[in-house]
Amino acid sequence: MLKIKKKNKPEKILLSDEIYILWRDGYENRISFFDLRDACPCASCVDELSGEKTLDSNSIPKNIAPLKSEYVGNYALRIYWNDEHDSGIFHFNMLREFEKSY
C-alpha cells in the first residue's frame, strides 16, 4: 500500500489562471493548466503496458482549463477539463514533484 507523507498532502488547492497548491509543510507550487493536462497519467494518455505517453501535446487546446476538480480519497485530485477529458487522476506525490518551467 502506498503511503502519503503528511507533507505530501495539500493544505489548499486553488484553480485560477493556473493550479496553485499550498502544501502542509509550507511548500508552494504553481502548475500551468496546459502542462498538467499534458502530463495526464490516464490510460487514454499513457500506454498502460509501456508507460509511454500517447497523448499528442498538439491536440491539447491552447485555452485548456479545468471546469471543476474533486479529491479522490486522501491521495489524489481528479480534474474535469474543458476539452471533455476527465479520466486523469493526479496523485498528490506527482503534483508535489511536478516542476516544469513555462
Side-chain angles (χ1 to χ4, degrees):
M1 177 155 105
L2 186 62
K3 298 227 178 202
I4 307 294
K5 295 179 182 177
K6 185 176 179 179
K7 75 174 187 171
N8 285 356
K9 291 186 180 178
E11 183 73 30
K12 182 187 309 185
I13 298 177
L14 300 174
L15 305 175
S16 59
D17 295 333
E18 61 191 357
I19 296 176
Y20 167 81
I21 306 172
L22 173 63
W23 300 91
R24 290 187 179 181
D25 66 353
Y27 180 76
E28 301 176 350
N29 62 337
R30 290 172 164 76
I31 307 168
S32 78
F33 295 146
F34 184 89
D35 287 344
L36 192 59
R37 174 65 182 89
D38 192 43
C40 181
C42 82
S44 297
C45 299
V46 176
D47 183 276
E48 293 180 85
L49 299 177
S50 69
E52 290 184 39
K53 179 180 170 182
T54 57
L55 173 66
D56 178 4
S57 300
N58 294 319
S59 71
I60 301 170
K62 298 300 178 203
N63 66 341
I64 192 72
L67 299 172
K68 68 177 185 174
S69 65
E70 65 188 13
Y71 289 107
V72 177
N74 289 316
Y75 65 92
L77 182 71
R78 176 188 301 252
I79 298 176
Y80 297 82
W81 299 99
N82 64 354
D83 68 350
E84 299 183 7
H85 188 73
D86 63 6
S87 57
I89 296 175
F90 298 89
H91 197 283
F92 292 155
N93 288 340
M94 174 194 177
L95 293 172
R96 173 72 184 216
E97 296 171 6
F98 197 97
E99 290 199 25
K100 186 164 186 173
S101 57
Y102 57 96

